[in-house]
Amino acid sequence: MKTILSFLILCLSITVGAQVKLPKLFSDGMVMQRNKPIPVWGWAKPHEPIKVVFKNQVLKTKADRNGNWSVVLKDQEAGGPFKMIIEGKNQIELTDILIGEVWICSGQSNMEWPVSQADNFYTEQNDSDYPEIRQFLVEKAMSGQPKKTLTGGNWQICNKNTVGDFTAVGYFFAKQLYKKLKIPIGIINTSWGGTCVETWTSREAFQGSTEFKNMISQMPDVDIDELQEQQKSEVYSRIEQVQGNIINASNQGEYKNVGFNDSNWPEMYAPKLWELQELGELDGVVWMRKTFNVSKEDAGKVAVLKLAKIDDQDTTYVNGVQVGTTNRYDEDRVYQIKENILKEGLNVISIKIFDYAGGGGIWGEASDLKLNVGQTEIPLSGKWKYLVTDVKSSVSPNSYPSLLFNAMINPLIPFACQGVLWYQGEANVNRAAQYKKAFPLMIADWRKHWNMGDFPFYFVQLSTFDEFGGNSNAGSKWAELREAQNNTEANVINTGMAVTIDIGNPKDIHPTNKQEVGKRLAAMALNDIYQEKIVSRGPAFKSMEIDNNKAILIFNNIGTGLKTSDKYGYLKGFEIAGADQIFHYAQAYIEGDKVIAHSKDVTNPQAVRYGWADDASDCNLYNNEGFPALPFRTDNWKTLTKDEIYKF
């Protein structure tokens, strides 16, 4: 009986194994690239005959000895909906297929940023009935080896119910293209916040690079599951030593109560990310508590609790009563406290914080951490009690190179597409100089793997964000990263860069005006690919001449002329230095198609910089078509990141 049962199970497994399977990209509602050969591939039993039927094409092949098969459909014009039938031992029918333009959208959090968190979401939601704009959202995954299949993902048709989940940059790009081209647009969103460029680049690319081949030679074979368990154990040991308590989630229900004794809990300062304090690197769950006194007059009154920002998610209690919860790391926490919650004398705020990746804890301005009750303001900045109750593995996409290429890019290849949109760089600012090599290497790597020639690769230059207070005299890592992006556009064929220093937020690494970002990317595509013949880029520094104490700056891409957004005609963002290499604010003005810059403090100019700062939001030079000038420097003086290299 056991023998028969084993035989039946074996037969069943063979039958299941023989089923024709497709990559997750090939599913109902998909968008395929027009006017290019279309690879279709999948898996089946070794040597199994396969037939693919699409419109008037019938293609036949056989799976190889490993069960892999592929065919290539001839070029198709835009249109749809169509269906596709794939036959082997079983049959798969795909419906509602559109042919149009397909763009890969990738990078870190500013590409991942959804429409629901962009400016004017409700307005955008009311103008989102575009059934021919579709997104495939790639499920996040890491792998130490190249994978053939995605962990998950599906196509969504754009409408009021789905648009909020679309990548905002990708969607607003697609919307601009659709309005001009009137054909289907598919965007494949494969992005992950906080990730560096090295995790998106293949091992083979590093092996062929003089800059990185020594690094990659030390790369071990990585089993992600095993590594996560190992690192989690190491983090547990370190945290328990720091906090003097074992990591235990069993008593969490008591931590929100006034009478709970937290005297043996350690302390940290708030607002300040815990990675910058004794607790150090940690993703997981941390409780934070703060006691404060309320007068007899204010007891029982309604109040407003302000907790600055909390990374990533919080559930907040006052005297054991939940007063709010938020799941956005960059959103101000402002919670209303109802009547009769505050008591005369001692009160307690208890916060359960969930940190999923990157920085964690209460952060922001100290002045935004307070409680207002009646006419009384109670400051809450300073020391808080804390206790770690759970730890996530510290393995992240940045732990080793190639982890996201393996799991989130390789499975997409060779799906036919028009090109790539890329928004990334924030995670590489500390290695900005090396980004001049790392970023072009990744572009070349993707192009080689896709084998579609030098397909268009458009990217977004880092926006304004005052992370380190960097400037010309102190040095600016953000400016150096922008320079690396400038160099990529200048030196890598068929690339384009959208400048965004004018639409950022110095206090928020995630500017929410994604509409303009999408428009600027679309302008380049419309000009370069779709023959709209429009001005699509801003002024770029070309050369400098010195005339006594004045620097004369000449630009490319001036369109129909230069202008400033300042109503009085003043140019901002220019600095000038002499041989002492000390920069001074420059008086600058437009003269025809040139900019003249000078300073009373510099009699013999040697160098000019424009927008060389973390926060470059003052910059206001544009062409008449409204595209901002690229930040630049004319010197090659010492920088902050020159000697910083990638390590794992």
Side-chain angles (χ1 to χ4, degrees):
M1 187 67 183
K2 288 182 179 179
T3 303
I4 296 173
L5 182 60
S6 299
F7 177 75
L8 290 174
I9 292 173
L10 177 62
C11 291
L12 178 61
S13 66
I14 292 173
T15 304
V16 172
Q19 296 290 307
V20 173
K21 295 181 181 179
L22 296 171
K24 294 186 184 299
L25 277 168
F26 290 90
S27 56
D28 293 343
M30 68 187 296
V31 182
M32 299 195 301
Q33 178 62 40
R34 65 170 179 163
N35 300 338
K36 289 186 180 184
I38 302 172
V40 180
W41 72 97
W43 307 275
K45 182 180 178 181
H47 311 298
E48 183 175 343
I50 304 295
K51 181 170 71 173
V52 177
V53 181
F54 183 72
K55 295 176 66 177
N56 60 348
Q57 297 185 63
V58 179
L59 302 178
K60 296 181 179 181
T61 188
K62 282 187 177 182
D64 65 19
R65 63 181 182 181
N66 296 315
N68 302 307
W69 62 265
S70 65
V71 298
V72 179
L73 298 171
K74 293 179 180 179
D75 301 17
Q76 300 289 313
E77 293 185 357
F82 305 112
K83 70 178 181 178
M84 181 188 298
I85 296 174
I86 302 93
E87 291 183 0
K89 295 290 185 182
N90 59 309
Q91 177 176 299
I92 300 173
E93 181 174 322
L94 306 180
T95 62
D96 192 27
I97 298 171
L98 302 181
I99 304 291
E101 292 294 286
V102 177
W103 286 82
I104 309 294
C105 299
S106 189
Q108 55 183 106
S109 53
N110 272 307
M111 181 60 79
E112 188 178 14
W113 200 256
V115 174
S116 62
Q117 295 179 17
D119 284 350
N120 306 314
F121 170 58
Y122 294 111
T123 300
E124 297 295 348
Q125 190 179 37
N126 288 329
D127 180 31
S128 61
D129 186 18
Y130 296 100
E132 291 192 334
I133 296 177
R134 300 179 179 186
Q135 172 181 261
F136 184 92
L137 179 59
V138 174
E139 186 174 313
K140 293 178 179 178
M142 299 180 285
S143 176
Q145 301 296 329
K147 296 178 66 175
K148 291 183 178 181
T149 60
L150 296 169
T151 300
N154 63 287
W155 286 96
Q156 284 192 319
I157 298 172
C158 185
N159 56 47
K160 288 184 178 181
N161 296 321
T162 61
V163 70
D165 295 327
F166 279 42
T167 158
V169 168
Y171 169 70
F172 293 122
F173 169 87
K175 194 173 179 180
Q176 290 295 309
L177 261 56
Y178 183 78
K179 288 183 175 180
K180 289 287 186 179
L181 305 177
K182 304 298 184 185
I183 61 172
I185 309 293
I187 51 178
I188 298 174
N189 179 7
T190 179
S191 52
W192 191 324
T195 53
C196 60
V197 71
E198 292 85 0
T199 194
W200 295 100
T201 307
S202 75
R203 179 191 287 257
E204 295 91 330
F206 290 128
Q207 289 171 334
S209 165
T210 302
E211 178 77 14
F212 294 101
K213 65 181 180 181
N214 182 59
M215 175 276 293
I216 202 63
S217 69
Q218 302 171 50
M219 170 72 176
D221 289 331
V222 178
D223 182 318
I224 294 297
D225 293 335
E226 181 180 327
L227 186 63
Q228 285 177 328
E229 286 304 312
Q230 175 187 337
Q231 292 199 4
K232 190 172 181 179
S233 176
E234 293 173 356
V235 173
Y236 261 81
S237 177
R238 178 180 64 83
I239 297 300
E240 288 177 352
Q241 185 175 0
V242 169
Q243 71 179 19
N245 290 282
I246 65 170
I247 297 173
N248 189 330
S250 61
N251 298 319
Q252 291 185 86
E254 301 176 13
Y255 299 164
K256 62 188 178 182
N257 298 328
V258 179
F260 177 75
N261 182 6
D262 59 16
S263 61
N264 66 337
W265 286 19
E267 294 178 330
M268 72 167 70
Y269 181 85
K272 188 176 184 180
L273 295 175
W274 56 58
E275 277 78 5
L276 304 177
Q277 304 186 62
E278 183 184 23
L279 182 57
E281 295 291 331
L282 170 73
D283 298 327
V285 178
V286 179
W287 280 83
M288 295 183 66
R289 285 170 52 94
K290 178 82 168 179
T291 57
F292 61 96
N293 284 293
V294 170
S295 68
K296 181 178 180 179
E297 291 74 22
D298 290 330
K301 290 182 179 179
V302 296
V304 177
L305 175 62
K306 296 184 178 181
L307 295 173
K309 298 177 175 67
I310 299 177
D311 189 343
D312 288 291
Q313 179 180 351
D314 72 288
T315 303
T316 298
Y317 304 86
V318 174
N319 294 338
V321 178
Q322 182 175 325
V323 296
T325 183
T326 305
N327 189 15
R328 262 188 69 175
Y329 87 96
D330 61 341
E331 184 172 314
D332 289 325
R333 268 59 171 180
V334 180
Y335 298 140
Q336 305 297 318
I337 300 175
K338 297 179 180 179
E339 289 182 341
N340 299 320
I341 292 178
L342 294 179
K343 309 298 181 184
E344 179 183 357
L346 196 67
N347 294 255
V348 65
I349 300 166
S350 305
I351 310 173
K352 186 178 184 180
I353 300 175
F354 303 81
D355 180 35
Y356 302 116
I362 302 172
W363 67 285
E365 301 294 329
S367 58
D368 292 331
L369 191 55
K370 59 190 177 184
L371 184 140
N372 294 104
V373 51
Q375 300 299 312
T376 305
E377 180 174 290
I378 302 173
L380 297 173
S381 61
K383 293 181 178 180
W384 284 60
K385 294 282 189 176
Y386 77 89
L387 188 74
V388 179
T389 60
D390 193 17
V391 172
K392 286 182 59 183
S393 167
S394 60
V395 178
S396 79
N398 296 334
S399 295
Y400 291 97
S402 309
L403 297 185
L404 296 191
F405 176 88
N406 292 337
M408 296 177 66
I409 297 298
N410 196 67
L412 304 178
I413 300 167
F415 195 81
C417 63
Q418 181 61 256
V420 172
L421 304 181
W422 177 258
Y423 197 157
Q424 188 274 339
E426 300 91 339
N428 279 86
V429 293
N430 290 320
R431 301 187 302 279
Q434 195 180 46
Y435 199 77
K436 293 178 181 179
K437 297 179 180 179
F439 186 30
L441 179 66
M442 192 207 76
I443 296 172
D445 182 36
W446 287 21
R447 286 172 168 174
K448 180 180 179 181
H449 276 88
W450 251 280
N451 195 28
M452 296 192 303
D454 295 323
F455 56 66
F457 199 106
Y458 297 136
F459 57 94
V460 182
Q461 189 177 49
L462 289 192
S463 192
T464 282
F465 180 58
D466 196 17
E467 183 172 15
F468 307 112
N471 55 44
S472 285
N473 289 319
S476 171
K477 296 179 181 180
W478 280 67
E480 291 178 32
L481 196 290
R482 295 187 195 110
E483 181 179 64
Q485 293 172 317
N486 286 355
N487 289 0
T488 300
E489 183 186 37
N491 297 314
V492 179
I493 189 172
N494 212 9
T495 59
M497 181 178 71
V499 179
T500 62
I501 55 174
D502 59 324
I503 53 174
N505 183 340
K507 294 185 177 182
D508 192 340
I509 201 170
H510 297 122
T512 53
N513 181 1
K514 299 298 195 243
Q515 289 87 340
E516 187 63 28
V517 179
K519 288 178 182 178
R520 292 177 185 180
L521 289 168
M524 292 187 290
L526 289 168
N527 177 70
D528 300 351
I529 303 168
Y530 304 115
Q531 307 302 312
E532 288 289 318
K533 299 306 175 188
I534 56 176
V535 174
S536 61
R537 292 164 171 84
F541 171 74
K542 180 181 180 182
S543 62
M544 178 177 72
E545 301 170 1
I546 301 298
D547 182 10
N548 294 318
N549 70 330
K550 294 181 179 179
I552 303 169
L553 303 165
I554 303 167
F555 294 84
N556 291 322
N557 300 333
I558 63 172
T560 57
L562 299 174
K563 71 173 185 179
T564 173
S565 60
D566 186 89
K567 64 181 180 181
Y568 299 109
Y570 296 119
L571 286 177
K572 299 177 182 178
F574 285 90
E575 298 171 288
I576 195 165
D580 61 1
Q581 300 187 12
I582 297 175
F583 283 87
H584 302 267
Y585 290 115
Q587 291 180 284
Y589 56 91
I590 296 168
E591 190 174 272
D593 59 357
K594 301 178 177 66
V595 168
I596 314 300
H598 64 93
S599 169
K600 62 181 178 58
D601 298 311
V602 181
T603 57
N604 184 20
Q606 299 294 308
V608 171
R609 292 182 176 182
Y610 175 69
W612 198 265
D614 295 5
D615 176 7
S617 56
D618 279 349
C619 295
N620 62 359
L621 177 63
Y622 295 78
N623 56 24
N624 286 331
E625 288 71 20
F627 292 97
L630 283 65
F632 67 90
R633 62 174 177 149
T634 65
D635 62 273
N636 61 355
W637 296 339
K638 184 178 179 181
T639 55
L640 296 177
T641 67
K642 180 177 180 295
D643 299 320
E644 299 299 322
I645 62 173
Y646 175 73
K647 299 175 183 178
F648 56 83

